[in-house]
């Protein structure tokens, strides 16, 4: 025997010395769901141990995250039905829930990196990410609203906007408006390769944002496509994205690696709601070891090339590390 690979696996000390991928609190972006009201902490039915918070409790939550070493959050809001329309009017309200949430977080923990979701679905009476005309999600009018929405988030104090809508040309529209309005340091984390995935179901429960008709296949990507992911991503970088993203995570790790090899900006992965719920359900049944499978999945996502992971497991994970 000239080569014995098992020498480097003899005990935990040598294994940690040669380990190629390490998970740390710095790797995480924590998704947060915000609702109107006072003293509200509602568990999301399809996402065990994950909650929607009213602003007063959001304050406590972000302080706790900071103390755990979690330094970045991605904010989503659940908009009351009576404020939804087809144009996303409420999305531009300077006193809207998102804008107040951003201020609340910055008040509670000024150093927290605040990213905001930019898409119309939580605000849309149709539950679509853009403006609907004759059953079609129109691109160019939507892109203008998304730029206005981004500006409004940045004016409220957001560090990064995260457009999750997959309209064409929206990164450019956002970047140009932010430059023009003198927010040169506002970042854009683009959901560049976002697939039309069935794994978003629990998230749509969380925000009550399921599409009222049809599906999202005319704007989100076909899960069958690989080369298109590279094209979308390179385009977003050319339009001014600082960070690009692949979404969902586990089923798309081949795409993560290819994109990682093709670009020179940081690559994020969104480990989505369905990925969270699947493991929680299997663990509740006693069929999988929750913590071990969680860490294995997070490690796999990072090993594939993710520089950062938006994950509902962030808190669970850092408590174990
Ligand atoms: C909507 C949006 C979705 C998610 C993030 N932003 C759902 C969708 O596209 O329908 C999904 C996140 C998750 O499932 O965890 N713009």
């Amino acid at each position: 025997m000239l080569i014995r690979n098992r020498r480097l696996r003899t005990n935990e000390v040598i294994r940690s010395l040669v380990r190629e991928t390490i998970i740390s609190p710095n790797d995480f972006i924590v998704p947060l769901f915000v609702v109107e009201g006072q003293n509200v902490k509602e568990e999301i039915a399809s996402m065990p141990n994950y909650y929607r918070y009213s602003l007063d409790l959001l304050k406590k939550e972000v302080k706790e995250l900071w103390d755990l070493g979690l330094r970045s959050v991605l904010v989503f809001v659940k908009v009351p039905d009576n404020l939804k329309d087809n144009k996303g009017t409420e999305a531009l309200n300077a006193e809207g829930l998102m804008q107040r949430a951003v201020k609340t977080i910055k008040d509670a923990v000024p150093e927290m990196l605040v990213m905001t979701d930019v898409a119309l679905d939580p605000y849309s009476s149709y539950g679509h990410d853009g403006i609907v005309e004759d059953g079609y999600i129109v691109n160019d009018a939507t892109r203008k609203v998304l730029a206005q929405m981004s500006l409004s988030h940045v004016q409220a104090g957001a560090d990064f906007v995260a457009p999750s809508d997959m309209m064409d040309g929206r990164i450019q529209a956002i970047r140009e408006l932010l430059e023009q309005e003198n927010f040169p340091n506002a970042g854009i984390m683009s959901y560049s390769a976002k697939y039309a995935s069935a794994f978003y179901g629990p998230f749509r429960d969380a925000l009550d944002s399921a599409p009222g008709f049809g599906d999202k296949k005319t704007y989100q990507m076909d899960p069958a496509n690989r080369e298109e992911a590279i094209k979308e991503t390179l385009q977003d970088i050319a339009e001014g994205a600082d960070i690009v993203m692949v979404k969902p995570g586990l089923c798309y790790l081949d795409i993560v690696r290819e994109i990682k090899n093709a670009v020179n900006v940081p690559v994020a992965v969104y480990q989505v709601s369905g990925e969270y719920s699947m493991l929680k359900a299997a663990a509740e049944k006693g069929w999988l070891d929750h913590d071990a499978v969680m860490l294995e999945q997070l490690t796999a996502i990072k090993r594939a090339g993710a520089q950062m992971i938006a994950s509902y497991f962030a808190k669970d994970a850092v408590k174990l590390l």
Side-chain angles (χ1 to χ4, degrees):
M1 295 288 281
L2 294 181
I3 296 171
R4 290 187 185 272
N5 294 318
R6 293 181 55 192
R7 272 184 214 117
L8 297 181
R9 299 177 201 141
T10 306
N11 57 45
E12 182 51 26
V13 175
I14 184 65
R15 287 194 297 272
S16 13
L17 197 62
V18 299
R19 188 161 295 135
E20 297 173 45
T21 308
I22 313 274
I23 303 279
S24 93
N26 290 326
D27 298 328
F28 292 104
I29 302 168
V30 185
L32 291 173
F33 297 122
V34 184
V35 281
E36 293 285 4
Q38 280 278 319
N39 206 25
V40 182
K41 179 181 178 184
E42 303 169 331
E43 189 174 33
I44 297 149
S46 50
M47 299 180 72
N49 203 30
Y50 220 83
Y51 301 87
R52 306 180 192 96
Y53 295 96
S54 55
L55 295 176
D56 49 339
L57 298 190
L58 179 67
K59 230 176 221 180
K60 277 196 208 150
E61 178 64 14
V62 293
K63 282 184 183 155
E64 189 184 327
L65 294 176
W66 186 264
D67 291 340
L68 286 168
L70 293 161
R71 306 275 188 256
S72 310
V73 294
L74 176 56
V75 187
F76 297 92
V77 289
K78 182 169 186 288
V79 179
D81 275 344
N82 65 313
L83 295 177
K84 297 185 182 185
D85 63 18
N86 184 30
K87 293 187 296 188
T89 310
E90 176 61 15
L92 307 184
N93 179 358
E95 288 304 312
L97 185 56
M98 175 64 90
Q99 288 79 357
R100 281 179 284 132
V102 170
K103 288 178 199 153
T104 301
I105 298 168
K106 284 290 185 185
D107 271 354
V109 187
E111 300 100 311
M112 185 69 87
L113 188 93
V114 177
M115 299 181 160
T116 56
D117 183 63
V118 173
L120 291 191
D121 51 323
Y123 299 93
S124 160
S125 37
Y126 293 107
H128 273 289
D129 290 33
I131 296 169
V132 178
E133 272 171 27
D134 299 327
Y136 189 71
I137 295 44
V138 294
N139 196 84
D140 298 11
T142 300
R143 156 184 194 267
K144 288 193 188 126
V145 182
L146 296 171
Q148 295 292 342
M149 187 175 173
S150 301
L151 176 62
S152 171
H153 293 180
V154 169
Q155 282 168 337
D159 300 291
F160 268 74
V161 291
S164 65
D165 58 290
M166 291 298 279
M167 298 300 125
D168 288 323
R170 89 277 206 217
I171 302 302
Q172 183 185 356
I174 294 168
R175 179 54 77 209
E176 284 177 356
L177 188 64
L178 292 177
E179 285 290 326
Q180 187 187 312
E181 297 294 323
N182 205 22
F183 288 101
N185 295 324
I188 303 177
M189 177 171 76
S190 172
Y191 290 60
S192 316
K194 174 171 176 178
Y195 287 89
S197 169
F199 283 94
Y200 307 149
F203 172 97
R204 293 174 188 171
D205 291 343
L207 294 191
D208 183 26
S209 63
F213 69 88
D215 52 40
K216 298 192 175 185
K217 291 178 185 170
T218 70
Y219 43 108
Q220 299 178 347
M221 283 179 53
D222 183 340
N225 293 356
R226 180 175 63 85
E227 290 187 47
E228 192 185 359
I230 315 273
K231 176 183 160 206
E232 281 277 5
T233 305
L234 292 176
Q235 212 168 321
D236 284 0
I237 296 169
E239 291 182 21
D242 302 287
I243 300 173
V244 294
M245 185 197 276
V246 177
K247 178 184 177 185
L250 277 188
C251 289
Y252 298 85
L253 295 188
D254 55 329
I255 308 296
V256 176
R257 173 46 60 182
E258 286 213 45
I259 286 175
K260 168 73 179 165
N261 290 345
V263 308
N264 51 15
V265 302
V267 178
V269 163
Y270 201 138
Q271 184 188 38
V272 302
S273 57
E275 301 181 69
Y276 176 85
S277 303
M278 276 199 307
L279 175 50
K280 290 288 175 192
E284 263 174 29
K285 291 245 179 202
W287 292 345
L288 287 176
D289 175 336
H290 178 273
D291 291 351
V293 172
M294 171 184 70
L295 289 179
E296 185 174 334
Q297 293 189 343
L298 292 167
T299 303
I301 291 170
K302 204 171 169 197
R303 189 199 60 227
Q307 168 97 32
M308 63 197 92
I309 309 171
S311 173
Y312 304 100
F313 288 117
K315 258 170 103 174
D316 289 344
V318 297
K319 286 179 186 166
L320 283 181
L321 298 175

